[in-house]
mmCIF file of all heavy atoms in Angstrom:
data_model
loop_
_atom_site.group_PDB
_atom_site.id
_atom_site.type_symbol
_atom_site.label_atom_id
_atom_site.label_comp_id
_atom_site.label_asym_id
_atom_site.label_seq_id
_atom_site.Cartn_x
_atom_site.Cartn_y
_atom_site.Cartn_z
ATOM 1 N N THR A 517 18.416 -128.540 65.118
ATOM 2 C CA THR A 517 17.606 -129.294 66.067
ATOM 3 C C THR A 517 17.797 -130.784 65.837
ATOM 4 O O THR A 517 17.737 -131.585 66.772
ATOM 5 C CB THR A 517 16.118 -128.909 65.916
ATOM 6 O OG1 THR A 517 15.993 -127.492 66.108
ATOM 7 C CG2 THR A 517 15.261 -129.625 66.943
ATOM 8 N N LYS A 518 18.043 -131.172 64.592
ATOM 9 C CA LYS A 518 18.391 -132.547 64.246
ATOM 10 C C LYS A 518 19.874 -132.624 63.891
ATOM 11 O O LYS A 518 20.412 -131.724 63.248
ATOM 12 C CB LYS A 518 17.562 -133.024 63.046
ATOM 13 C CG LYS A 518 16.060 -133.039 63.271
ATOM 14 C CD LYS A 518 15.349 -133.500 62.012
ATOM 15 C CE LYS A 518 13.837 -133.496 62.191
ATOM 16 N NZ LYS A 518 13.135 -133.909 60.941
ATOM 17 N N ALA A 519 20.515 -133.719 64.305
ATOM 18 C CA ALA A 519 21.910 -133.924 63.923
ATOM 19 C C ALA A 519 22.001 -134.092 62.413
ATOM 20 O O ALA A 519 21.113 -134.692 61.792
ATOM 21 C CB ALA A 519 22.471 -135.165 64.627
ATOM 22 N N TRP A 520 23.050 -133.543 61.835
ATOM 23 C CA TRP A 520 23.332 -133.637 60.399
ATOM 24 C C TRP A 520 22.339 -132.863 59.542
ATOM 25 O O TRP A 520 22.324 -133.004 58.325
ATOM 26 C CB TRP A 520 23.404 -135.086 59.908
ATOM 27 C CG TRP A 520 24.407 -135.901 60.656
ATOM 28 C CD1 TRP A 520 24.169 -136.846 61.595
ATOM 29 C CD2 TRP A 520 25.828 -135.801 60.523
ATOM 30 N NE1 TRP A 520 25.340 -137.357 62.078
ATOM 31 C CE2 TRP A 520 26.388 -136.738 61.430
ATOM 32 C CE3 TRP A 520 26.678 -135.023 59.739
ATOM 33 C CZ2 TRP A 520 27.760 -136.903 61.576
ATOM 34 C CZ3 TRP A 520 28.030 -135.201 59.876
ATOM 35 C CH2 TRP A 520 28.574 -136.133 60.786
ATOM 36 N N PHE A 521 21.535 -132.026 60.187
ATOM 37 C CA PHE A 521 20.573 -131.256 59.410
ATOM 38 C C PHE A 521 20.559 -129.821 59.931
ATOM 39 O O PHE A 521 19.972 -129.539 60.976
ATOM 40 C CB PHE A 521 19.170 -131.867 59.493
ATOM 41 C CG PHE A 521 18.147 -131.106 58.691
ATOM 42 C CD1 PHE A 521 18.095 -131.207 57.306
ATOM 43 C CD2 PHE A 521 17.227 -130.268 59.310
ATOM 44 C CE1 PHE A 521 17.163 -130.501 56.567
ATOM 45 C CE2 PHE A 521 16.283 -129.561 58.580
ATOM 46 C CZ PHE A 521 16.253 -129.682 57.203
ATOM 47 N N GLY A 522 21.202 -128.937 59.195
ATOM 48 C CA GLY A 522 21.187 -127.531 59.575
ATOM 49 C C GLY A 522 20.006 -126.829 58.936
ATOM 50 O O GLY A 522 19.921 -126.728 57.706
ATOM 51 N N ASP A 523 19.081 -126.378 59.762
ATOM 52 C CA ASP A 523 17.884 -125.698 59.256
ATOM 53 C C ASP A 523 18.158 -124.192 59.230
ATOM 54 O O ASP A 523 18.161 -123.537 60.269
ATOM 55 C CB ASP A 523 16.693 -126.013 60.155
ATOM 56 C CG ASP A 523 15.384 -125.433 59.614
ATOM 57 O OD1 ASP A 523 15.438 -124.677 58.620
ATOM 58 O OD2 ASP A 523 14.325 -125.729 60.192
ATOM 59 N N PHE A 524 18.359 -123.655 58.027
ATOM 60 C CA PHE A 524 18.724 -122.248 57.885
ATOM 61 C C PHE A 524 17.532 -121.379 57.484
ATOM 62 O O PHE A 524 17.685 -120.378 56.787
ATOM 63 C CB PHE A 524 19.856 -122.106 56.872
ATOM 64 C CG PHE A 524 21.113 -122.827 57.279
ATOM 65 C CD1 PHE A 524 21.493 -124.013 56.676
ATOM 66 C CD2 PHE A 524 21.897 -122.329 58.301
ATOM 67 C CE1 PHE A 524 22.640 -124.681 57.064
ATOM 68 C CE2 PHE A 524 23.052 -122.982 58.696
ATOM 69 C CZ PHE A 524 23.429 -124.160 58.082
ATOM 70 N N SER A 525 16.361 -121.757 57.948
ATOM 71 C CA SER A 525 15.155 -120.974 57.676
ATOM 72 C C SER A 525 15.320 -119.560 58.224
ATOM 73 O O SER A 525 16.027 -119.336 59.214
ATOM 74 C CB SER A 525 13.934 -121.629 58.321
ATOM 75 O OG SER A 525 13.755 -122.951 57.831
ATOM 76 N N SER A 526 14.642 -118.611 57.588
ATOM 77 C CA SER A 526 14.829 -117.202 57.949
ATOM 78 C C SER A 526 14.438 -116.913 59.391
ATOM 79 O O SER A 526 14.988 -115.998 60.016
ATOM 80 C CB SER A 526 14.024 -116.308 57.004
ATOM 81 O OG SER A 526 12.636 -116.599 57.115
ATOM 82 N N PHE A 527 13.507 -117.686 59.946
ATOM 83 C CA PHE A 527 13.036 -117.404 61.307
ATOM 84 C C PHE A 527 13.908 -118.065 62.372
ATOM 85 O O PHE A 527 13.765 -117.793 63.558
ATOM 86 C CB PHE A 527 11.585 -117.865 61.481
ATOM 87 C CG PHE A 527 11.338 -119.298 61.072
ATOM 88 C CD1 PHE A 527 11.653 -120.341 61.926
ATOM 89 C CD2 PHE A 527 10.824 -119.594 59.815
ATOM 90 C CE1 PHE A 527 11.432 -121.660 61.542
ATOM 91 C CE2 PHE A 527 10.614 -120.898 59.417
ATOM 92 C CZ PHE A 527 10.915 -121.944 60.284
ATOM 93 N N ASN A 528 14.819 -118.939 61.973
ATOM 94 C CA ASN A 528 15.690 -119.607 62.943
ATOM 95 C C ASN A 528 16.846 -118.708 63.358
ATOM 96 O O ASN A 528 17.323 -117.881 62.576
ATOM 97 C CB ASN A 528 16.246 -120.911 62.360
ATOM 98 C CG ASN A 528 15.342 -122.095 62.661
ATOM 99 O OD1 ASN A 528 14.465 -122.020 63.511
ATOM 100 N ND2 ASN A 528 15.558 -123.189 61.963
ATOM 101 N N ARG A 529 17.298 -118.934 64.589
ATOM 102 C CA ARG A 529 18.432 -118.159 65.098
ATOM 103 C C ARG A 529 19.454 -119.067 65.777
ATOM 104 O O ARG A 529 20.240 -118.614 66.618
ATOM 105 C CB ARG A 529 17.948 -117.087 66.080
ATOM 106 C CG ARG A 529 17.092 -115.998 65.423
ATOM 107 C CD ARG A 529 16.484 -115.081 66.478
ATOM 108 N NE ARG A 529 15.783 -113.954 65.894
ATOM 109 C CZ ARG A 529 14.520 -113.984 65.443
ATOM 110 N NH1 ARG A 529 13.834 -115.130 65.496
ATOM 111 N NH2 ARG A 529 13.952 -112.903 64.938
ATOM 112 N N HIS A 530 19.452 -120.338 65.412
ATOM 113 C CA HIS A 530 20.411 -121.269 66.008
ATOM 114 C C HIS A 530 20.892 -122.272 64.965
ATOM 115 O O HIS A 530 20.137 -122.693 64.091
ATOM 116 C CB HIS A 530 19.808 -121.987 67.212
ATOM 117 C CG HIS A 530 18.749 -122.993 66.857
ATOM 118 N ND1 HIS A 530 17.488 -122.633 66.450
ATOM 119 C CD2 HIS A 530 18.771 -124.356 66.853
ATOM 120 C CE1 HIS A 530 16.767 -123.713 66.201
ATOM 121 N NE2 HIS A 530 17.529 -124.780 66.441
ATOM 122 N N PHE A 531 22.154 -122.609 65.056
ATOM 123 C CA PHE A 531 22.740 -123.679 64.229
ATOM 124 C C PHE A 531 24.018 -124.135 64.903
ATOM 125 O O PHE A 531 24.517 -123.496 65.852
ATOM 126 C CB PHE A 531 23.015 -123.195 62.798
ATOM 127 C CG PHE A 531 24.240 -122.326 62.656
ATOM 128 C CD1 PHE A 531 25.420 -122.838 62.136
ATOM 129 C CD2 PHE A 531 24.226 -120.983 63.051
ATOM 130 C CE1 PHE A 531 26.554 -122.042 61.997
ATOM 131 C CE2 PHE A 531 25.342 -120.182 62.906
ATOM 132 C CZ PHE A 531 26.523 -120.710 62.384
ATOM 133 N N ALA A 532 24.566 -125.241 64.438
ATOM 134 C CA ALA A 532 25.812 -125.763 65.010
ATOM 135 C C ALA A 532 26.766 -126.134 63.891
ATOM 136 O O ALA A 532 26.359 -126.448 62.769
ATOM 137 C CB ALA A 532 25.534 -126.970 65.901
ATOM 138 N N ALA A 533 28.046 -126.086 64.199
ATOM 139 C CA ALA A 533 29.092 -126.521 63.272
ATOM 140 C C ALA A 533 29.950 -127.555 63.982
ATOM 141 O O ALA A 533 30.360 -127.344 65.128
ATOM 142 C CB ALA A 533 29.949 -125.337 62.839
ATOM 143 N N MET A 534 30.202 -128.670 63.303
ATOM 144 C CA MET A 534 31.056 -129.718 63.877
ATOM 145 C C MET A 534 32.293 -129.874 63.008
ATOM 146 O O MET A 534 32.215 -129.893 61.775
ATOM 147 C CB MET A 534 30.312 -131.050 63.976
ATOM 148 C CG MET A 534 31.121 -132.129 64.698
ATOM 149 S SD MET A 534 30.191 -133.643 65.003
ATOM 150 C CE MET A 534 30.213 -134.363 63.351
#
Side-chain angles (χ1 to χ4, degrees):
T517 303
K518 299 179 181 178
W520 304 105
F521 181 76
D523 185 353
F524 299 105
S525 301
S526 61
F527 52 81
N528 270 345
R529 294 172 174 83
H530 71 286
F531 77 103
M534 186 173 76

